[in-house]
Amino acid sequence: MASVPSLASTLQQQLADALTAALPDAGTADPLLRRSDRADFQANGILALAKKLKGNPRELAGQVTAALPAGELIKDIEVSGPGFLNITLTDKAIVETLAARAADPEGRLGVPVDAAAGTTVIDYAQPNVAKEMHVGHLRSAVIGDAMVKILEFTGEDVVRRHHIGDWGTQFGMLIQYLIEHPGALKHEGDAADGEAAMSTLNRVYKESRVLFDSDEEFKARSRDRVVALQAGDPETLELWQGFVDESKIYFYSVFDKLDMEVRDPDIVGESGYNDMLEETCRILEETGVAVRSEGALCVFFDDVKGPDGNKVPLIVKKTNGGYGYAATDLSAIRNRVQDLKADTLLYVVDARQSLHFKMVFETARRAGWLGDGVKAVQLAFGTVLGKDGKPFKTREGETVRLEDLLDEAVERATAVVREKAEKVGLSEEEIVENGRYVGVGAVKYADLSTSAVRDYKFDLDQMVSLNGDTSVYLQYAYARIRSILRKAGEAVPAAHPELALAPAERALGLHLDQFGEVLSEVASGYEPHKLAAYLYQLASHLTTFYDQCQVLSPDNAPEVVENRLFLVELTARTLHQGMALLGIRTPERL
């Protein structure tokens, strides 16, 4: 494995060794290294050590400086203020480290694979059978897909799970409606057309919901039908399977528009745990984790109370014998830990469900299904808002269909691409393809560049802008580099460690070297927005580099041209890899 230590980690180790050598009484000490605007790095750890050892921090800083090894890493080190170390690295060290990244035979840019990584089951992209996907499904799909890619890249064994809503009260309602209105599912067009079938199913859902809410007798029959479904009644199951099969065709068409791979074996919906539900309930009751309350099987918590001060339970089994969502979620935990051998359960779920998952996780811990070696994490996300700062709706007040949203994004992006097409020489086929990549990328990046737990405003005009923190800006930066490399003629990218670097070259090089460290932080904290921020900063450094350092100027010596081509090519590879991990394409020409 050709992993390349970052400059920061190499410097960190040298400083830690120097601290130990100069101050043996201090034990293991952290130099508290960070990037600095006064030098390349600043080490602040000596202040705390001086206080601990009751010494003079500037004198201690001098001892540490003297203990640092002579070598080719550090160009200059200055003791500043009350004992800070301002450290500047050599240009040679920067270029040699980047050259090692570029030469990685596995194409990973020197990013290591975590040998201690385990197995993560990630639950994301959870649409509901017989219901159209809307803007509310966007974040789970986009954030989850990015985390799958990032975790796999850093070495985790990832098991994907799409916990689709294919069970519960609404199916009793739908199936009962079909039995009483046998022609309701007829629709115009090809039955194999997922969108047409989905439109019909959505109509049936709305009609049955109106009846369910207004007719108590129909509501009672629907609830009995749920019990029949859970008991495996053949007629009920056959109608239910029809809903599932037609819905999957629709799901796949939407995920294809999102440029996401969803595989059939990864779809294990609520129904996939039916055979475990009764055993889950029995274990919970026998162990005393759950108790009977007013005929229902419930789990209570001291810190979960309603407005009246009474404890609010997690209902595992309802009074009528039907199972609550908790029974399914707890059975899924048993399966994922015991059968799939997961070390981590990651749920990419709306923040509004945080209380439910807090209660489910605590119940699983009490039952022993979440042991010390397993962690369960909800990667909670906020709401997609309109430009007015309110939940995103159509002008008619309806929830925005996800397909409509994606189609509009692609349409807007294609118009932007078409404006530049003649100058770049794009064919109509390339305009259409790039329009799709830019439009879908814009939607994904707007989501992923925001901290997941925060709400964000959906503004297509801003998303497809060439200026600012957008995916189009990053895609354009990549395409611009590819254009330079095509124009380079016989000049080839080649690292020249012997050359002095201009300030913009140094800044770009030091930022490139941080890629692996950023990915490690993103993977461990489940924070894809930090990768998006890194890539935007990289493109910004590239813009400054273009302004200050011409690449193909005839005034440049050949080795300067080669070194600058090397820097921009490595930047392109880093942008391409980083964007791919976010699920965003980088067109060669834009």
Side-chain angles (χ1 to χ4, degrees):
M1 189 63 62
S3 65
V4 178
S6 68
L7 291 161
S9 64
T10 302
L11 179 58
Q12 169 94 5
Q13 188 59 55
Q14 288 194 9
L15 285 168
D17 292 344
L19 279 167
T20 302
L23 308 167
D25 294 339
T28 304
D30 185 350
L32 297 179
L33 189 68
R34 62 177 179 82
R35 289 298 305 276
S36 170
D37 55 3
R38 297 177 180 272
D40 294 335
F41 294 93
Q42 187 175 80
N44 300 333
I46 290 172
L47 288 176
L49 277 177
K51 186 176 181 180
K52 177 182 176 182
L53 299 174
K54 297 181 172 55
N56 182 304
R58 285 188 64 88
E59 289 180 7
L60 292 178
Q63 294 173 34
V64 171
T65 301
L68 282 166
E72 299 183 331
L73 178 64
I74 299 174
K75 176 183 179 181
D76 182 58
I77 185 164
E78 173 197 14
V79 179
S80 173
F84 300 133
L85 295 180
N86 291 328
I87 303 163
T88 302
L89 304 185
T90 66
D91 295 342
K92 181 179 181 182
I94 295 172
V95 176
E96 284 182 342
T97 298
L98 296 181
R101 295 200 177 287
D104 180 354
E106 297 183 13
R108 294 177 52 84
L109 303 174
V111 177
V113 172
D114 184 1
T119 298
T120 293
V121 175
I122 178 166
D123 189 325
Y124 69 110
Q126 308 105 347
N128 292 310
V129 165
K131 292 181 71 175
E132 289 182 306
M133 293 176 68
H134 54 78
V135 67
H137 292 110
L138 178 66
R139 302 207 72 184
S140 178
V142 169
I143 296 169
D145 187 54
M147 284 312 310
V148 166
K149 289 178 167 64
I150 291 164
L151 290 171
E152 286 182 337
F153 188 78
T154 53
E156 193 77 3
D157 181 15
V158 177
V159 179
R160 310 172 192 206
R161 280 292 176 266
H162 305 295
H163 192 82
I164 63 173
D166 64 352
W167 214 245
T169 302
Q170 70 271 27
F171 291 97
M173 175 185 77
L174 283 167
I175 294 167
Q176 189 63 33
Y177 186 84
L178 283 184
I179 289 172
E180 297 179 13
H181 302 78
L185 266 184
K186 289 182 180 178
H187 57 82
E188 296 179 5
D190 184 357
D193 182 338
E195 189 171 356
M198 197 63 233
S199 180
T200 302
L201 288 170
N202 192 53
R203 174 180 54 78
V204 171
Y205 181 88
K206 289 180 178 179
E207 290 172 0
S208 62
R209 170 56 71 178
V210 169
L211 191 58
F212 185 86
D213 291 340
S214 61
D215 186 333
E216 288 298 322
E217 290 184 359
F218 177 75
K219 182 182 289 187
R221 293 196 299 275
S222 297
R223 286 174 171 164
D224 289 340
R225 184 62 57 181
V226 176
V227 177
L229 177 63
Q230 292 175 338
D233 174 65
E235 179 192 17
T236 307
L237 279 176
E238 184 179 355
L239 288 168
W240 168 79
Q241 191 63 52
F243 283 125
V244 174
D245 292 342
E246 292 206 34
S247 297
K248 279 186 178 180
I249 296 170
Y250 167 73
F251 296 158
Y252 291 148
S253 71
V254 177
F255 289 131
D256 184 60
K257 283 191 175 185
L258 265 174
D259 200 16
M260 274 177 54
E261 179 192 25
V262 174
R263 303 173 300 205
D264 205 59
D266 302 332
I267 298 178
V268 183
E270 295 166 351
S271 64
Y273 306 99
N274 285 344
D275 294 343
M276 302 176 68
L277 298 180
E278 186 55 41
E279 184 181 33
T280 295
C281 293
R282 178 181 57 78
I283 293 171
L284 291 173
E285 189 167 14
E286 287 180 354
T287 56
V289 174
V291 296
R292 294 284 171 179
S293 176
E294 299 180 15
L297 186 63
C298 304
V299 182
F300 289 92
F301 309 85
D302 291 337
D303 58 344
V304 182
K305 296 179 181 178
D308 57 1
N310 293 325
K311 293 180 181 179
V312 176
L314 180 71
I315 300 174
V316 184
K317 194 171 186 178
K318 303 174 186 176
T319 305
N320 70 350
Y323 299 99
Y325 287 120
T328 305
D329 288 333
L330 289 164
S331 297
I333 288 175
R334 290 176 57 208
N335 169 259
R336 294 167 183 183
V337 174
Q338 296 169 5
D339 299 333
L340 301 180
K341 308 301 181 186
D343 307 294
T344 302
L345 305 179
L346 181 62
Y347 293 78
V348 187
V349 183
D350 192 316
R352 288 170 291 189
Q353 295 190 44
S354 294
L355 178 58
H356 170 77
F357 278 98
K358 175 186 175 182
M359 296 162 78
V360 166
F361 295 161
E362 175 58 26
T363 299
R365 289 189 187 96
R366 292 181 187 179
W369 300 327
L370 279 178
D372 294 338
V374 185
K375 65 177 179 177
V377 181
Q378 182 192 0
L379 202 176
F381 56 82
T383 304
V384 181
L385 306 175
K387 290 183 183 180
D388 58 2
K390 299 177 181 178
F392 198 22
K393 302 281 186 181
T394 65
R395 290 178 182 174
E396 294 76 27
E398 296 284 329
T399 303
V400 179
R401 295 171 71 241
L402 185 51
E403 281 197 300
D404 292 344
L405 180 150
L406 294 173
D407 288 343
E408 185 179 357
V410 170
E411 184 181 332
R412 296 272 193 98
T414 302
V416 172
V417 172
R418 196 176 293 281
E419 286 179 16
K420 306 282 184 181
E422 187 174 344
K423 181 180 178 182
V424 182
L426 297 180
S427 66
E428 180 62 25
E429 184 179 354
E430 287 176 308
I431 292 171
V432 171
E433 182 180 75
N434 287 358
R436 181 190 175 206
Y437 293 158
V438 170
V440 174
V443 171
K444 288 184 175 183
Y445 186 84
D447 193 315
L448 293 167
S449 59
T450 304
S451 175
V453 76
R454 291 178 55 197
D455 300 340
Y456 79 96
K457 292 182 180 180
F458 195 93
D459 183 348
L460 272 178
D461 293 329
Q462 173 59 28
M463 289 179 185
V464 299
S465 172
L466 285 167
N467 302 311
D469 187 6
T470 67
S471 68
V472 192
Y473 176 63
L474 302 181
Q475 289 168 321
Y476 182 69
Y478 176 82
R480 190 176 182 186
I481 295 173
R482 300 306 301 169
S483 175
I484 289 173
L485 294 171
R486 287 193 294 271
K487 294 174 182 176
E490 296 182 1
V492 295
H496 285 275
E498 74 280 4
L499 292 178
L501 296 176
E505 291 175 302
R506 287 180 59 85
L508 179 61
L510 286 167
H511 194 72
L512 281 168
D513 187 53
Q514 291 180 279
F515 183 53
E517 291 180 340
V518 169
L519 282 182
S520 177
E521 183 179 354
V522 168
S524 62
Y526 310 120
E527 298 173 302
H529 71 279
K530 290 186 176 180
L531 175 56
Y534 168 85
L535 295 172
Y536 174 65
Q537 291 162 4
L538 179 59
S540 299
H541 281 301
L542 183 70
T543 299
T544 303
F545 169 85
Y546 283 140
D547 291 342
Q548 298 181 9
C549 305
Q550 283 191 298
V551 179
L552 299 178
S553 171
D555 297 332
N556 289 341
E559 59 271 21
V560 172
V561 172
E562 290 176 351
N563 200 56
R564 289 180 176 173
L565 284 172
F566 161 74
L567 285 173
V568 296
E569 184 192 48
L570 186 58
T571 301
R573 289 172 61 187
T574 305
L575 280 170
H576 176 77
Q577 180 65 77
M579 292 286 271
L581 292 176
L582 294 178
I584 300 173
R585 306 264 186 166
T586 42
E588 293 290 303
R589 300 196 302 166
L590 196 60

